[in-house]
C-alpha cells in the first residue's frame, strides 16, 4: 500500500524578503575592525619596537589622512559606477594595509603606509557600504523594514567591528606568539568572509546613479533622476514619498494601479485617486506648502557640527586614556586597552534602542543626548587621569561610547533622510569625513600636554562640546521637524 503525503496548506504569511543588507553589513564590520585593531596595540608598540607616545599618536591619526580622500572619492565613484566595485576594491586595499602592518613588526617604517591605506580602504567602505545597506533596506529589496532601519544597521555593524576588532587584537597579542603579526590575522579572515558574502548581494546603483523609484502595486520599478521622488512601501493603502530635496509626502495608493509622483522643487506634493486606477501628484502652490531646506543647508546646520564629536569621544577613550591610567597594570596593559576598545563601541551598540526612542520624540533629541554624554564622559576622563584610576577611566570610556553611539545614529539617520538617491553615497561620505576628523584628537592632546596637564586638556575639551550642544539645541528648536 502506498501513502501520499498530505499537501502542505499555505500559511497565509507572505515570504520574508531576502536579507541582502545582512550580508552587506559585514563590509561595515570589516571597516570598523580594520580601524580599531591598531588602537588596542598601542601599548604593545611601546614595549616592543619601542615607539614613543608621540609616534603612536601620529600613527593613530595618519589613518585619517587616508580615510578622508577614501571617503570623498569613494562616495562619488560609488554613485557613478555602483556600490560593488568600490566595496571590493576597498576590501582589497584594507587587506593589503593589514599585511603592511604585520610587516611593520620588523620594519616599523611600513606602519605609516599601512595606516594610510587602512584609512583609504575604510573610507571607501564606509561611503559605499552605508549607501548599499540603505538601498538594500528599502523597496524593492526590502519592503518590511521600518523607516530609519538602514541608518541603524550601518551604525550597528560598524560598532560591532570597532568593539570586536580591538578586543580580538589585544587578546591575541597578549598570549599568541609574534603578537604584532598574529594580532592582525583575524582581520584578513574577516575581510575574505565579507567579500564572499557581498558577492551574493545585488547591485543597487546602475551607472550614473539611477535608482529604482516608481511604485506599482507595492513594488518599486523604474528610475529616479533629478527632480523625481523615491517611493516607499505601500502600507494601509498609502505610500510615503521622499523628494530629492528631503521633503516627504504621503499619497493614496490605488488598488492594483500606479501612483506616479512628480516631486516639486520645495519637496511637497499631494495626490489622491478615489475613482481612477492611477494618481499623479502635482506641485502644491507656494502659499499652501512652505519650501523645505535643501539637503546641503540642512546638513551644514544640523549634521556637520555634530559629526566630529562622533569620533572625538571614542578616540580619546581608545588612544588617550589607557596610556594615562595603566601605570599599576604591569603586564596587563594590552589586555586593559583591549577591554577599553570593546567597552567603548560596545556601549554605542547598547544605546541603539534609546536612539530610536529619542528620535521618535524630536528630530534633534538624539544629538542633544549624545553631546551631553560626550561632555559627561570628558569630565569623568579628566577625573580618572588626575587620580590615575583605571576603573574610572573604564566608566568614562563607556559614557564616551554612549555619546559616540547616539551621535552616529543621529548623523546617519539625518543623512539617509536628506540625501537624494543619486547623491546618497557622496553625502554619506561627507558625513564620515567630518566624523573622522575626531581621530586627530589624541595627537592634539599629546601636543598640548607639553604645556598643560592631560586632565586640564580633557577639561578644556568640554567647552567646545558644550558650545556645539547649545548650537544644535538652538537651531533644532527653530526648525520645524
Amino acid at each position: 500500500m502506498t501513502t501520499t503525503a498530505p499537501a502542505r496548506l499555505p500559511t497565509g504569511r507572505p515570504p520574508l524578503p531576502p536579507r541582502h543588507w545582512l550580508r552587506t553589513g559585514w563590509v561595515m564590520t570589516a571597516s570598523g575592525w580594520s580601524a580599531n585593531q591598531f588602537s588596542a596595540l598601542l601599548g604593545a608598540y611601546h614595549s616592543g619596537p619601542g615607539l614613543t607616545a608621540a609616534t603612536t599618536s601620529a600613527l593613530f591619526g595618519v589613518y585619517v589622512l587616508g580615510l578622508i580622500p577614501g571617503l570623498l572619492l569613494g562616495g562619488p565613484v560609488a554613485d557613478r559606477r555602483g556600490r560593488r566595485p568600490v566595496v571590493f576594491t576597498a576590501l582589497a586595499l584594507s587587506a593589503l594595509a593589514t599585511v603592511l602592518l604585520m610587516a611593520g613588526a620588523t620594519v616599523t617604517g611600513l606602519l605609516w603606509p599601512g595606516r594610510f591605506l587602512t584609512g583609504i580602504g575604510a573610507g571607501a567602505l564606509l561611503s559605499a557600504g552605508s549607501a548599499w545597506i540603505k538601498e538594500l533596506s528599502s523597496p524593492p529589496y526590502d519592503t518590511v523594514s521600518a523607516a530609519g532601519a538602514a541608518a541603524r544597521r550601518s551604525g550597528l555593524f560598524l560598532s560591532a567591528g570597532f568593539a570586536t576588532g580591538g578586543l580580538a587584537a589585544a587578546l591575541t597579542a597578549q598570549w599568541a606568539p609574534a603578537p604584532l603579526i598574529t594580532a592582525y590575522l583575524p582581520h584578513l579572515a574577516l575581510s575574505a568572509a565579507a567579500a564572499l558574502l557581498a558577492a551574493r548581494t545585488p547591485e543597487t546603483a546602475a551607472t550614473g546613479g539611477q535608482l529604482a523609484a516608481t511604485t506599482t502595486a507595492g513594488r518599486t520599478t523604474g528610475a529616479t533622476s533629478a527632480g523625481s521622488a523615491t517611493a516607499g512601501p505601500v502600507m494601509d493603502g498609502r505610500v510615503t514619498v521622499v523628494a530629492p530635496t528631503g521633503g516627504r509626502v504621503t499619497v493614496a495608493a490605488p488598488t492594483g494601479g500606479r501612483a506616479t509622483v512628480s516631486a516639486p522643487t520645495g519637496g511637497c506634493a499631494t495626490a489622491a485617486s478615489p475613482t481612477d486606477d492611477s494618481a499623479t501628484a502635482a506641485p502644491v502652490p507656494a502659499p499652501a506648502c512652505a519650501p523645505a531646506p535643501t539637503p546641503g543647508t540642512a546638513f551644514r546646520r544640523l549634521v556637520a557640527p555634530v559629526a566630529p564629536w562622533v569620533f572625538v569621544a571614542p578616540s580619546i577613550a581608545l588612544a588617550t586614556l589607557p596610556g594615562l591610567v595603566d601605570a599599576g597594570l604591569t603586564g596587563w596593559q594590552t589586555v586593559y586597552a583591549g577591554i577599553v576598545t570593546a567597552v567603548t563601541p560596545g556601549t554605542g551598540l547598547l544605546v541603539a534602542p534609546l536612539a530610536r526612542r529619542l528620535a521618535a520624540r524630536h528630530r534633534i533629541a538624539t544629538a542633544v543626548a549624545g553631546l551631553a554624554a560626550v561632555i559627561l564622559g570628558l569630565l569623568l576622563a579628566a577625573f580618572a587621569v588626575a587620580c590615575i584610576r583605571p576603573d574610572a577611566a573604564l566608566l568614562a570610556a563607556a559614557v564616551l561610547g554612549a555619546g559616540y553611539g547616539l551621535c552616529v545614529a543621529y548623523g546617519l539617520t539625518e543623512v539617509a533622510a536628506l540625501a537624494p538617491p543619486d547623491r546618497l553615497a557622496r553625502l554619506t561620505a561627507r558625513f564620515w569625513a567630518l566624523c573622522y576628523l575626531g581621530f586627530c584628537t589624541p595627537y592634539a592632546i599629546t601636543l598640548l600636554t607639553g604645556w598643560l596637564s592631560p586632565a586640564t586638556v580633557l577639561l578644556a575639551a568640554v567647552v567646545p562640546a558644550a558650545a556645539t550642544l547649545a548650537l544644535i539645541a538652538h537651531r533644532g528648536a527653530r526648525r520645524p521637524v
Side-chain angles (χ1 to χ4, degrees):
M1 182 178 70
T2 60
T3 60
T4 303
R8 183 173 297 176
L9 297 177
T11 63
R13 297 178 181 176
L16 290 175
R19 296 186 176 184
H20 295 302
W21 58 266
L22 183 59
R23 291 197 293 269
T24 308
W26 292 101
V27 169
M28 301 294 288
T29 301
S31 176
W33 190 297
S34 69
N36 233 18
Q37 59 183 348
F38 182 82
S39 306
L41 301 175
L42 294 179
Y45 281 108
H46 283 307
S47 59
L51 301 182
T52 65
T55 300
T56 54
S57 295
L59 283 167
F60 186 84
V62 79
Y63 165 83
V64 181
L65 297 180
L67 184 134
I68 291 179
L71 285 167
L72 298 181
L73 295 176
V77 172
D79 282 335
R80 290 195 303 268
R81 302 298 181 186
R83 316 307 186 202
R84 292 170 61 88
V86 175
V87 163
F88 284 109
T89 301
L91 276 173
L93 281 177
S94 185
L96 174 60
T98 294
V99 172
L100 289 175
L101 292 175
M102 294 167 70
T106 54
V107 183
T108 55
L110 293 176
L111 294 173
W112 297 95
R115 286 292 288 168
F116 183 76
L117 285 179
T118 298
I120 291 179
L125 284 175
L126 284 171
S127 55
S130 296
W132 207 2
I133 291 174
K134 192 269 181 184
E135 290 155 3
L136 290 169
S137 299
S138 307
Y141 307 100
D142 185 346
T143 58
V144 298
S145 294
R152 292 193 297 270
R153 287 166 181 169
S154 295
L156 289 174
F157 274 106
L158 181 67
S159 297
F162 281 138
T164 53
L167 182 60
L171 295 179
T172 304
Q174 182 70 24
W175 287 291
L180 296 182
I181 296 176
T182 54
Y184 293 107
L185 292 177
H187 177 251
L188 295 179
L190 176 62
S191 297
L196 290 174
L197 290 169
R200 301 173 53 198
T201 306
E203 176 62 79
T204 56
T207 303
Q210 300 297 313
L211 300 174
T214 302
T215 299
T216 304
R219 299 188 311 273
T220 305
T221 58
T224 295
S225 58
S228 60
T230 302
V234 175
M235 299 181 64
D236 299 326
R238 303 182 70 80
V239 59
T240 298
V241 182
V242 182
T245 55
R248 286 178 171 81
V249 63
T250 301
V251 300
T255 303
R258 292 175 67 88
T260 304
V261 180
S262 176
T265 302
C268 299
T270 58
S273 180
T275 57
D276 195 3
D277 277 346
S278 61
T280 301
V284 175
C289 179
T294 63
T297 300
F299 181 89
R300 288 191 297 271
R301 287 177 54 82
L302 291 178
V303 179
V306 179
W309 296 101
V310 168
F311 285 130
V312 166
S315 67
I316 290 174
L318 303 178
T320 300
L321 285 184
L324 296 175
V325 300
D326 64 359
L329 302 174
T330 305
W332 294 92
Q333 289 95 334
T334 300
V335 172
Y336 177 76
I339 293 173
V340 170
T341 58
V343 166
T344 305
T347 310
L349 281 169
L350 294 177
V351 298
L354 174 61
R356 288 196 298 271
R357 290 194 294 269
L358 289 171
R361 295 178 66 87
H362 195 281
R363 188 168 189 172
I364 65 161
T366 312
V368 170
L371 290 168
V374 172
I375 292 170
L376 177 58
L378 289 171
L379 293 173
L380 289 171
F383 167 77
V385 170
C387 300
I388 313 179
R389 292 278 300 274
D391 55 344
L394 195 60
L395 177 61
V399 177
L400 289 169
Y404 150 76
L406 293 169
C407 289
V408 75
Y410 165 77
L412 287 173
T413 301
E414 282 295 299
V415 168
L418 292 171
D422 60 342
R423 296 183 62 85
L424 175 61
R426 66 190 68 189
L427 193 62
T428 303
R430 286 175 59 191
F431 169 69
W432 284 121
L434 291 173
C435 288
Y436 271 97
L437 291 176
F439 259 77
C440 298
T441 306
Y443 187 64
I445 292 175
T446 301
L447 294 179
L448 290 173
T449 50
W451 295 276
L452 301 169
S453 70
T456 302
V457 175
L458 291 170
L459 282 175
V462 171
V463 176
T468 305
L469 190 156
L471 177 67
I472 292 299
H474 174 70
R475 289 178 174 177
R478 291 171 59 88
R479 177 183 175 179
V481 295

